[in-house]
Amino acid sequence: MRVLAAMSGGVDSAVAAARAVAAGHEVTGVHLALARNPQTYRTGARGCCTQEDSRDARRAADVIGIPFYVWDMADRFHSDVVDDFVAEYAAGRTPNPCLRCNEKIKFAAVLDRAVALGFDAVVTGHHARLGADGLLRRSVDAAKDQSYVLAVLTREQLDRSMFPLGDSTKAQVREEAARRGLAVADKPDSHDICFIADGDTRGFLAQRLGQAPGDVVDATTGAVVGSHTGAYAYTVGQRRGLHLDRPAPDGRPRYVLSITPKTNTVTVGPAEALEVARVRAERPVWTGGPRPEAPVECEVQLRAHGDVVPATVTLDGDTFQAELRRPVRGVAAGQAVVAYRPDPAGDIVLGSATIAG
C-alpha cells in the first residue's frame, strides 16, 4: 500500500514510519506546519510542533530512507483547534485540544488530502491498536494508551488508519529507535499544549478573551466568597488558585463545581458536591459495531488518563447517556466520554461523545 506517515518529530512517529517501511509499504513522510508564526512556538522539547520537531522529523525520514514533505496547515489548525479551544473555555467548558487535533487535522484534513493524492492510509505513532477485525483497542502500554483521544474517529477514518506501535511499550519503541540509528530515540515526550508557548493557559486565554471580573459563589450558602478576572480560567474540580476571601464554615477545602458564563459566575463547594452518577453527552461516534438499539453494559473513561468506571450506556438520537455504577468527581463539560468493552485481546473502543454542560 501507499501510506502517508505523519511525522511529528518525536520517537513514536519515527518508529511508526520505519515499521511501515519494514512491513513492505511504500511510505512518504509528512510533517505538519501548524503555526502561522513559527517564532511564537516554543523551542526545546516541552511540546509538539516546534521548529526543532520539523528538523528532527526530516532527519528521521532521511535515516529511514523515505521521501519527506512539510504541509502547511496553519490556518486550518488555527480555526479548528486554537479558535475552538478559546471558544470552549469562553462557553464554560474544558476542551481537549489534542483530541480536537486528531479529529479535525490528522484524521480529517490530512487524511482527506492523502486520499486525494492517491495514498491508501495514514500511519501515525499513536499508542493504540487496530485489530484484524478493524476495531480500535487500547495499547498494551496502559500508561501510554491514546485510544481515548482517538475515539472520535469515524469508521471510515479508522479503515484508512495504521497504528503500528499498539503492541509495544514505550520502552520497546525507544530501544528500537536506538537500534535503527534514529537520533530521537531519547527525545522526551511532549506533554504541554503546543500552541501555548510558555505553558500559561490562563494568560493565553486572558490575551484573547480579555479581563471579565465576576463573583465566586459558595454553593452551600449562596454567599460571594471571592472574585475572579475571568471565569474561563477555571475548570470543574479545580481546587488550587481560587483565591477565596472567606474560608468555608467547616474549614474544608472547596472546589469549582460549575462555571456559568451567562452570569460570569464560578460556583465552589465541597468535594462530595462534585460527584455525578449520570453523564449526558452529545455528538456520539460509535465504531465498535452496529449502533446499539438497547442499553449497553460497558466501561467508560471520562478524561484522558482518567479512571475507568462500569456503566450502562444508552444512545438516543444525538444523545449519549451513561449511568455510572459508582459516582465520580470532576466530570467537566467539553471533555470526551469514551465507552470500552473489556476483551481478552484488549479493551475495545465502542464509541465516544462530548460531555454536555
Side-chain angles (χ1 to χ4, degrees), residues 276-281 296 298-302 309-315 319-325 337-339:
V276 298
R278 175 184 296 177
V279 175
R280 185 177 68 85
V296 176
C298 59
E299 296 177 337
V300 297
Q301 185 173 327
L302 299 166
V309 184
T312 302
V313 166
T314 304
L315 268 64
T319 301
F320 178 118
Q321 297 271 6
E323 299 284 346
L324 310 181
R325 298 289 180 79
V337 51
V338 178

Side-chain angles (χ1 to χ4, degrees), residues 12-27:
D12 291 326
S13 60
V15 172
R19 287 188 178 183
V21 172
H25 300 298
E26 181 184 343
V27 181

Side-chain angles (χ1 to χ4, degrees), residues 106-151:
K106 295 177 182 176
F107 295 96
V110 171
L111 183 55
D112 287 349
R113 183 183 293 187
V115 171
L117 292 173
F119 290 95
D120 300 301
V122 169
V123 58
T124 74
H126 287 95
H127 282 263
R129 288 179 288 171
L130 274 173
D133 53 11
L135 298 178
L136 180 64
R137 286 178 166 84
R138 289 192 187 275
S139 166
V140 299
D141 190 337
K144 294 297 180 181
D145 174 58
Q146 292 174 294
S147 61
Y148 175 89
V149 295
L150 295 172

